[in-house]
Short mmCIF file of all heavy atoms in Angstrom, two decimals:
data_model
loop_
_atom_site.label_atom_id
_atom_site.label_comp_id
_atom_site.label_asym_id
_atom_site.label_seq_id
_atom_site.Cartn_x
_atom_site.Cartn_y
_atom_site.Cartn_z
N VAL A 63 -3.63 4.15 13.43
CA VAL A 63 -3.03 3.12 12.61
C VAL A 63 -3.64 3.09 11.28
O VAL A 63 -4.92 3.12 11.13
CB VAL A 63 -3.16 1.76 13.33
CG1 VAL A 63 -2.69 0.62 12.45
CG2 VAL A 63 -2.52 1.76 14.67
N LEU A 64 -2.88 3.10 10.19
CA LEU A 64 -3.43 3.09 8.86
C LEU A 64 -3.63 1.61 8.40
O LEU A 64 -2.79 0.75 8.45
CB LEU A 64 -2.47 3.77 7.82
CG LEU A 64 -2.19 5.21 8.17
CD1 LEU A 64 -1.26 5.77 7.13
CD2 LEU A 64 -3.47 5.98 8.21
N ARG A 65 -4.87 1.32 7.99
CA ARG A 65 -5.31 -0.02 7.58
C ARG A 65 -5.14 -0.12 6.06
O ARG A 65 -4.86 0.82 5.39
CB ARG A 65 -6.71 -0.29 8.00
CG ARG A 65 -7.03 -0.18 9.50
CD ARG A 65 -8.50 -0.50 9.75
NE ARG A 65 -9.34 -0.16 8.63
CZ ARG A 65 -10.23 0.84 8.62
NH1 ARG A 65 -10.43 1.56 9.67
NH2 ARG A 65 -10.99 1.07 7.57
N ASP A 66 -5.49 -1.36 5.52
CA ASP A 66 -5.42 -1.53 4.06
C ASP A 66 -6.44 -0.67 3.32
O ASP A 66 -6.14 -0.36 2.16
CB ASP A 66 -5.70 -3.02 3.76
CG ASP A 66 -4.55 -3.88 4.08
OD1 ASP A 66 -3.41 -3.33 4.26
OD2 ASP A 66 -4.70 -5.15 4.12
N GLU A 67 -7.58 -0.27 4.00
CA GLU A 67 -8.51 0.56 3.30
C GLU A 67 -8.26 2.05 3.47
O GLU A 67 -9.15 2.82 3.32
CB GLU A 67 -9.92 0.18 3.76
CG GLU A 67 -10.39 -1.22 3.37
CD GLU A 67 -9.96 -2.28 4.31
OE1 GLU A 67 -9.41 -1.95 5.40
OE2 GLU A 67 -10.14 -3.47 3.95
N HIS A 68 -7.05 2.40 3.87
CA HIS A 68 -6.62 3.82 3.91
C HIS A 68 -5.77 4.05 2.69
O HIS A 68 -4.68 3.56 2.59
CB HIS A 68 -5.82 4.10 5.16
CG HIS A 68 -6.58 4.14 6.41
ND1 HIS A 68 -6.02 3.96 7.66
CD2 HIS A 68 -7.88 4.43 6.67
CE1 HIS A 68 -6.97 4.08 8.54
NE2 HIS A 68 -8.11 4.38 7.92
N TYR A 69 -6.30 4.79 1.73
CA TYR A 69 -5.66 5.01 0.46
C TYR A 69 -5.03 6.44 0.41
O TYR A 69 -5.58 7.30 1.04
CB TYR A 69 -6.65 4.81 -0.70
CG TYR A 69 -7.33 3.47 -0.66
CD1 TYR A 69 -8.67 3.38 -0.40
CD2 TYR A 69 -6.60 2.29 -0.88
CE1 TYR A 69 -9.33 2.10 -0.38
CE2 TYR A 69 -7.23 1.06 -0.89
CZ TYR A 69 -8.56 0.98 -0.58
OH TYR A 69 -9.21 -0.21 -0.54
N PHE A 70 -4.01 6.55 -0.38
CA PHE A 70 -3.42 7.90 -0.62
C PHE A 70 -4.39 8.77 -1.44
O PHE A 70 -5.06 8.20 -2.31
CB PHE A 70 -2.08 7.76 -1.36
CG PHE A 70 -1.49 9.10 -1.73
CD1 PHE A 70 -0.97 9.93 -0.73
CD2 PHE A 70 -1.53 9.56 -3.05
CE1 PHE A 70 -0.38 11.19 -1.14
CE2 PHE A 70 -1.02 10.79 -3.43
CZ PHE A 70 -0.43 11.57 -2.50
N CYS A 71 -4.44 10.04 -1.10
CA CYS A 71 -5.40 10.90 -1.90
C CYS A 71 -4.83 12.29 -1.90
O CYS A 71 -4.03 12.73 -1.20
CB CYS A 71 -6.79 10.89 -1.25
SG CYS A 71 -6.76 11.63 0.40
N THR A 72 -5.38 13.06 -2.92
CA THR A 72 -5.14 14.45 -3.06
C THR A 72 -6.48 15.22 -3.23
O THR A 72 -7.46 14.59 -3.78
CB THR A 72 -4.18 14.81 -4.16
OG1 THR A 72 -4.77 14.42 -5.41
CG2 THR A 72 -2.81 14.22 -3.99
N VAL A 73 -6.55 16.44 -2.88
CA VAL A 73 -7.79 17.30 -3.07
C VAL A 73 -7.27 18.66 -3.58
O VAL A 73 -6.31 19.18 -3.09
CB VAL A 73 -8.61 17.43 -1.71
CG1 VAL A 73 -9.72 18.45 -1.90
CG2 VAL A 73 -9.15 16.06 -1.28
N ASP A 74 -8.07 19.14 -4.53
CA ASP A 74 -7.89 20.48 -5.04
C ASP A 74 -9.27 21.16 -5.01
O ASP A 74 -10.25 20.71 -5.66
CB ASP A 74 -7.34 20.47 -6.48
CG ASP A 74 -6.98 21.75 -7.00
OD1 ASP A 74 -7.32 22.82 -6.38
OD2 ASP A 74 -6.42 21.88 -8.17
N VAL A 75 -9.41 22.24 -4.24
CA VAL A 75 -10.71 22.88 -4.00
C VAL A 75 -10.58 24.38 -4.20
O VAL A 75 -9.56 25.00 -3.84
CB VAL A 75 -11.33 22.56 -2.63
CG1 VAL A 75 -10.47 23.09 -1.48
CG2 VAL A 75 -12.76 23.00 -2.56
N ALA A 76 -11.55 24.97 -4.86
CA ALA A 76 -11.67 26.35 -5.01
C ALA A 76 -13.14 26.80 -4.63
O ALA A 76 -14.06 26.16 -5.20
CB ALA A 76 -11.35 26.87 -6.39
N PHE A 77 -13.38 27.67 -3.72
CA PHE A 77 -14.67 28.03 -3.26
C PHE A 77 -14.74 29.52 -2.92
O PHE A 77 -13.88 30.05 -2.24
CB PHE A 77 -14.95 27.18 -2.05
CG PHE A 77 -16.44 27.21 -1.66
CD1 PHE A 77 -17.34 26.30 -2.16
CD2 PHE A 77 -16.93 28.13 -0.70
CE1 PHE A 77 -18.65 26.32 -1.85
CE2 PHE A 77 -18.24 28.22 -0.39
CZ PHE A 77 -19.07 27.27 -0.97
N ILE A 78 -15.77 30.18 -3.36
CA ILE A 78 -15.97 31.58 -3.04
C ILE A 78 -17.39 31.84 -2.75
O ILE A 78 -18.36 31.45 -3.56
CB ILE A 78 -15.43 32.52 -4.19
CG1 ILE A 78 -15.46 33.96 -3.78
CG2 ILE A 78 -16.18 32.34 -5.45
CD1 ILE A 78 -14.48 34.36 -2.82
N VAL A 79 -17.71 32.43 -1.61
CA VAL A 79 -19.07 32.78 -1.15
C VAL A 79 -20.02 31.69 -1.10
O VAL A 79 -20.32 31.11 -0.01
CB VAL A 79 -19.61 34.02 -1.99
CG1 VAL A 79 -20.99 34.44 -1.33
CG2 VAL A 79 -18.70 35.11 -2.03
N CYS A 80 -20.62 31.16 -2.19
CA CYS A 80 -21.59 30.09 -2.14
C CYS A 80 -21.37 29.00 -3.17
O CYS A 80 -22.21 28.10 -3.26
CB CYS A 80 -23.01 30.69 -2.23
SG CYS A 80 -23.33 31.47 -3.83
N TYR A 81 -20.37 29.06 -3.99
CA TYR A 81 -20.17 28.07 -5.00
C TYR A 81 -18.72 27.65 -5.14
O TYR A 81 -17.84 28.52 -5.00
CB TYR A 81 -20.62 28.68 -6.39
CG TYR A 81 -20.63 27.74 -7.55
CD1 TYR A 81 -21.62 26.80 -7.65
CD2 TYR A 81 -19.65 27.79 -8.47
CE1 TYR A 81 -21.59 25.90 -8.74
CE2 TYR A 81 -19.63 26.94 -9.57
CZ TYR A 81 -20.63 25.94 -9.64
OH TYR A 81 -20.62 25.11 -10.70
N GLY A 82 -18.49 26.38 -5.38
CA GLY A 82 -17.12 25.94 -5.54
C GLY A 82 -16.99 24.75 -6.42
O GLY A 82 -17.99 24.18 -6.93
N THR A 83 -15.70 24.37 -6.67
CA THR A 83 -15.35 23.14 -7.41
C THR A 83 -14.35 22.29 -6.63
O THR A 83 -13.57 22.88 -5.84
CB THR A 83 -14.76 23.48 -8.81
OG1 THR A 83 -13.54 24.27 -8.58
CG2 THR A 83 -15.72 24.26 -9.67
N VAL A 84 -14.41 21.03 -6.78
CA VAL A 84 -13.52 20.16 -6.10
C VAL A 84 -13.11 19.05 -7.08
O VAL A 84 -13.92 18.49 -7.82
CB VAL A 84 -14.10 19.56 -4.80
CG1 VAL A 84 -15.37 18.76 -5.07
CG2 VAL A 84 -13.03 18.74 -4.05
N THR A 85 -11.86 18.61 -7.01
CA THR A 85 -11.34 17.40 -7.62
C THR A 85 -10.61 16.66 -6.57
O THR A 85 -9.68 17.16 -5.90
CB THR A 85 -10.36 17.75 -8.78
OG1 THR A 85 -11.09 18.50 -9.75
CG2 THR A 85 -9.82 16.49 -9.41
N ALA A 86 -11.02 15.43 -6.31
CA ALA A 86 -10.34 14.55 -5.33
C ALA A 86 -9.84 13.38 -6.16
O ALA A 86 -10.53 12.78 -6.99
CB ALA A 86 -11.34 14.18 -4.27
#
Side-chain angles (χ1 to χ4, degrees):
V63 176
L64 300 179
R65 303 181 329 249
D66 284 345
E67 292 84 10
H68 285 157
Y69 305 112
F70 174 73
C71 66
T72 60
V73 171
D74 185 352
V75 64
F77 192 87
I78 187 74
V79 184
C80 64
Y81 185 76
T83 60
V84 63
T85 300

